[in-house]
Amino acid sequence: MVVEDNDLNRKLFCDVLKANGFEVEPVADGEHVLETARTTSPDLIIMDIQLPGVSGVDLIVAAKLDDALKEIPVLAVTAFAGKGDEERIRSAGAAGYLSKPVSIMPFMNAVKELLPI
């Protein structure tokens, strides 16, 4: 599942994942993340942190507190790359962290690292 409010980034992430054989559920609106995750049971959630109306960090915390979602790994992808941001995001429950702009190879490596083969 790809959670990204920027249309171009969401399309890029989805296209790259599909080209590598993954099924993808795109989510543009942070308000629908938990509901969509419960409905689709994704193997991985790729989470933008800076979403309109809701923080990706808050969504990660909420997912980790939800019995149906807590085992799903979260890869945070964010423009927040300041001191302490990665630690704060990982403390919320993110299993992986990438700062934007994201290159294709590091992105796919991070995805493959978090997905059981």
Side-chain angles (χ1 to χ4, degrees):
M1 188 168 94
V2 174
V3 181
E4 171 63 67
D5 63 308
N6 179 287
D7 292 340
L8 290 176
N9 285 343
R10 189 176 58 255
K11 182 173 177 2
L12 172 66
F13 295 155
C14 289
D15 288 351
V16 168
L17 289 165
K18 286 176 187 173
N20 281 274
F22 294 98
E23 290 181 38
V24 183
E25 181 69 36
V27 179
D29 185 344
E31 300 294 328
H32 300 292
V33 170
L34 299 176
E35 173 189 329
T36 302
R38 283 186 206 105
T39 306
T40 61
S41 299
D43 293 319
L44 174 68
I45 298 172
I46 297 167
M47 178 76 72
D48 183 16
I49 297 301
Q50 214 168 358
L51 297 165
V54 63
S55 162
V57 173
D58 291 343
L59 290 171
I60 294 169
V61 169
K64 294 303 168 186
L65 292 172
D66 187 308
D67 285 340
L69 306 177
K70 66 184 178 186
E71 299 300 323
I72 301 170
V74 177
L75 172 59
V77 181
T78 181
F80 284 122
K83 185 174 177 159
D85 284 329
E86 180 175 358
E87 183 180 316
R88 178 177 60 89
I89 292 165
R90 284 186 181 272
S91 293
Y97 172 93
L98 288 173
S99 60
K100 292 177 184 175
V102 176
S103 298
I104 302 298
M105 286 308 296
F107 173 74
M108 283 311 305
N109 288 340
V111 166
K112 288 175 183 172
E113 196 174 291
L114 295 176
L115 283 175
I117 297 175

